[in-house]
Each structure stands twice: as C-alpha cells, then as structure tokens.
Amino acid sequence: MPLSAILPDLSPWRSTRDFRLLWIQGLVTYFGSFMAMVALPLQIKDLTDSPVAVGAMGAVELVPLIVFGLYGGALADAVDRRKVILLTEAALGVLAVVLLVNALLPDPLLWPLYVVAAGVSALAGLQRPALDSLMARIVPHDQLTAAAALNSLRWNVGAIAGPSLAGLVVAYAGHAAAYAITIVGFAVSVLLCTRLSPAPAAHDAEKPSLKGLAEGARYAWSRPVLLGTYAIDMAAMFFAFPNTIFPFLADDLDAEWALGLMYAAGAVGSLLFSLTSGWTSRIRRHGLLVVCGAAGWGLAITAAGRVANIWVVLGCLALAGAGDMASGLGRSTIWNQTIPDELRGRLAGIEVLSYSVGPQLGQVRAGAAAGWTGTRTAVWSGGLACVASVGVLAAALPRLISYDARTDPDAARRRARSQQPPRTDREPEPTAP
C-alpha cells in the first residue's frame, strides 16, 4: 500500500482559504484551552482535596451548555456565523483573565472557578454550532471526511501539547502562568477570526425561536441514523469519561508526575489514528465506524482502570483515544453528509449536546463513583458500562449499522445540492422531507 494512501488527505487545506484559517485558529485555541483545562481542576483539587468538588465542575457546566447550545444552534442559522465565532472567542479570553486575576490573589477563591466554568460552558454552547455548521459550507462535499480528519489532527496536537505543558507549568510556575498562556492563545485566535470570510444567513432566515428549535429536533428525531450517533456518543462519554478524576488516579498509582501525560495520552492515540487516516476517505459504512470506535473506547478505559502500572495505563488511554477518534470521525462525516444547510446550525446545537453533555455528566458520575467505590473502580466499571450500552444501542438502532454513504437517501440529497451552482439570491434550499 503506498504511503499516500495512509497519510492524511490534505485536499481541504489546499482548496479552501477559510478552512486553513479555521484550522490554525483552532490549533491556537485548543492549545490555550487545554492549558486551562488542566489548571482549573488542579486548582480546585488544591483548594478542596475533594474528588466530589472536582466532579462538581460537570454539574455547574451542564445547564449553561444545554440552554446555550440549543440557542447557539438556532443563532447559527439566523446570523453571520463568523460574528458568532469572533465574539464568543473574545468573551472566552475575558474569562481567562478572570481566572488569572483570581489565581494572583493571596488566597484564591473557589467560587469564581465554578462561575468561570459555567461561563465557558455557555460560550462554548453558543460558539460550537456556528463552527460546526460553517465547515459543511466552506468544504466541498467530497472532502468532508478528509476535513474531519484534519480537524481531529489539529485537536490532538493541541490536546497533547496543552496538557503536557500545563502539568509542567502548573508544577513549576503555578496556575497563574497557565492562565496567562491561555489569554495569549485567545488573543491570537481573535486576530485570526477577523480574517475569515463573512458567513451570513439567508436573507429571509427566521430569528432564533422555540419553533425553529422544534423544527430541528423533529428532523433529528425522524432520522434513526442521527439518533444513533447522538445516543452512542452520550452513553460512551457518560459512563467512560474519567478525566476529572485523573489527579486522584495519579495519586493512587503513586505517579503524580504523570498527570499531564494522563491528560495527553488519549490525544496521542487520536493523533496516531489521524496521522494514518488516509484510508478513512474510502470508508462508506460510517455508522459501523461509530459503533466499533465507541466500543473500543470503553474496552480501553476498562483496561486502564484494572492495571496498576502507570505506563500500561497511559498505553490504554492512548488506545481509548484512537477508538474515540474513529467514532468521532464517523459521527462528523454522517452529520455533514446528511443534514441540509438550512438546518445545519440547529442540528449542530443538538450535536453539541450529544458530545458535550455526556462528558459533563460523566465528570459528575466519575467524581461521585470515585468517592463511593474508589478511583480505579470508578474507571473500570464505567468502561464496562460503556461497552454494554453501545451494544444495546447498536442492536436497537440497526439503521446506524447499515448506513452507507453511497445509498443513504439523505446523503444523496446533500451530495446533489452541494454540486449545484451557488445561489446568488441567498435563498434557502427546501428542507429535506
């Protein structure tokens, strides 16, 4: 097999200027965000020494994510998506400033950490639908899988470098230094966002409303394939997302020095998968990829909770990351291949809930289970529950397993529309039945 068949497909990078800008902007943002992602729970742990207090981050983030994620989806269909991305990115930078100021106090306060966590969740809910729905507009239809792989590669680079460096920065320079780096990252990201092309909604697009949200929900409910991608991802993350208790797992394994590596290990596995993802452009059974990847994630998390050697744990977490990458690539491709553009923002809002609510609830579950049964038991039992739930959902939704991009009617309609000349009047296309 030639090397070009394995390496990532760079077609979206070469063909689309806005894709290149978003790719670079996202890399910068991820790097800074992961610095804060490690520093914030570590600071809560230092202030409270409680796994329940750390897990409570998921609880305070949940409601803002649900409310603003749904509203952000409707907003993305009604306004210029570039403006949404730009303004929310700037607001996230302001919240990073709050974290820095609090960390510089002689006695840092606990409650601002939860307030900022809730604010970040709300802004992420507003921003993510605009980002996700923009991708299907700027990337040619036949390059969507390649674009998803390149975006995952970008995420993984940030997820590896950010946590690994954050662990060292917090250990040797303190939480404030990590938050300062986060601020710089958001400042650079805002500058890059200003160079994106405008992405206005149709001139007759409806304002965000409950009626519009209901229309998007009805569309999703009528598509078993979409329901399957949402349900499997939420179940996998709810049962097998132990990141919030990594500080306590590191203590149990007498490997506090490896905390940053534990946060980064999943991204290493995802990165290795992304770097050899050229073959995924030829896959047509993306639903099967979703199921197999999610089951692999659960099995690897189970193994990570059962072994006591830190290096084996890191290897298991890397395997989990590869499984999650495979599942995520399948989900992203199905979403972009089948959802009509006029509903893309609202469906992206539902997607935000599917892959974000699960981890938030998973943090609460992991923290509570660790306080009740112990850290390692909370990890491996969640992995087993993940595998079981994926199996049940796959059996209950057979159309997800049988999805084929060549024969699925929604994918065929979306492909036909993408091949039509651009509309000059900006009128929306008819909604798929």
Side-chain angles (χ1 to χ4, degrees), residues 204-365:
D204 57 351
E206 296 181 4
K207 293 182 179 180
S209 65
L210 292 177
K211 178 182 176 182
L213 291 176
E215 182 184 1
R218 282 195 300 270
Y219 180 88
W221 186 257
S222 69
R223 265 59 182 182
V225 174
L226 290 179
L227 285 179
T229 63
Y230 302 151
I232 283 181
D233 187 46
M234 289 185 69
M237 293 297 102
F238 173 74
F239 288 114
F241 190 77
N243 293 36
T244 192
I245 57 174
F246 278 171
F248 300 93
L249 182 59
D251 287 346
D252 282 358
L253 298 174
D254 195 25
E256 294 83 356
W257 55 269
L259 178 59
L261 296 177
M262 293 175 68
Y263 279 110
V268 171
S270 297
L271 177 62
L272 293 176
F273 187 96
S274 298
L275 288 173
T276 57
S277 63
W279 58 275
T280 60
S281 293
R282 298 185 293 279
I283 285 182
R284 298 296 178 264
R285 298 285 300 279
H286 299 102
L288 187 60
L289 186 63
V290 170
V291 172
C292 292
W297 158 270
L299 288 172
I301 293 297
T302 301
R306 294 294 299 172
V307 299
N309 183 285
I310 182 59
W311 294 109
V312 179
V313 170
L314 292 173
C316 291
L317 294 176
L319 289 174
D324 186 47
M325 176 73 258
S327 183
L329 190 60
R331 292 194 308 271
S332 178
T333 302
I334 289 173
W335 295 340
N336 286 325
Q337 282 183 342
T338 62
I339 298 173
D341 188 66
E342 66 273 14
L343 290 174
R344 193 67 188 86
R346 279 162 283 180
L347 270 293
I350 296 175
E351 291 154 19
V352 167
L353 300 186
S354 78
Y355 58 66
S356 298
V357 170
Q360 304 308 325
L361 290 176
Q363 291 185 76
V364 179
R365 186 213 67 84

Side-chain angles (χ1 to χ4, degrees), residues 36-113:
M37 185 194 76
V38 173
L40 188 55
L42 267 177
Q43 190 173 16
I44 294 176
K45 176 181 179 291
D46 290 344
L47 292 174
T48 67
D49 196 30
S50 167
V52 175
V54 177
M57 281 182 58
V60 302
E61 292 169 343
L62 181 59
V63 172
L65 182 63
I66 293 174
V67 173
F68 287 93
L70 290 173
Y71 180 75
L75 191 67
D77 283 335
V79 301
D80 190 321
R81 293 167 184 173
R82 184 191 67 164
K83 291 182 179 178
V84 176
I85 297 169
L86 178 60
L87 293 176
T88 52
E89 199 74 358
L92 286 167
V94 172
L95 291 181
V97 173
V98 174
L99 289 176
L100 175 61
V101 171
N102 183 62
L104 292 174
L105 294 175
D107 295 306
L109 302 173
L110 179 62
W111 65 265
L113 304 183

Side-chain angles (χ1 to χ4, degrees), residues 40-203:
L40 188 55
L42 267 177
Q43 190 173 16
I44 294 176
K45 176 181 179 291
D46 290 344
L47 292 174
T48 67
D49 196 30
S50 167
V52 175
V54 177
M57 281 182 58
V60 302
E61 292 169 343
L62 181 59
V63 172
L65 182 63
I66 293 174
V67 173
F68 287 93
L70 290 173
Y71 180 75
L75 191 67
D77 283 335
V79 301
D80 190 321
R81 293 167 184 173
R82 184 191 67 164
K83 291 182 179 178
V84 176
I85 297 169
L86 178 60
L87 293 176
T88 52
E89 199 74 358
L92 286 167
V94 172
L95 291 181
V97 173
V98 174
L99 289 176
L100 175 61
V101 171
N102 183 62
L104 292 174
L105 294 175
D107 295 306
L109 302 173
L110 179 62
W111 65 265
L113 304 183
Y114 290 114
V115 172
V116 169
V120 169
S121 183
L123 290 169
L126 284 174
Q127 183 189 82
R128 194 59 185 262
L131 274 172
D132 288 352
S133 59
L134 185 60
M135 197 58 57
R137 177 180 290 190
I138 66 176
V139 175
H141 185 82
D142 61 350
Q143 297 177 9
L144 288 172
T145 301
L150 289 175
N151 284 338
S152 298
L153 176 63
R154 172 193 66 185
W155 185 90
N156 292 321
V157 170
I160 293 169
S164 299
L165 182 58
L168 296 174
V169 170
V170 172
Y172 292 102
H175 302 96
Y179 297 142
I181 294 174
T182 301
I183 293 169
V184 173
F186 279 119
V188 174
S189 176
V190 168
L191 291 176
L192 290 170
C193 286
T194 60
R195 301 186 60 195
L196 289 171
S197 302
H203 72 277

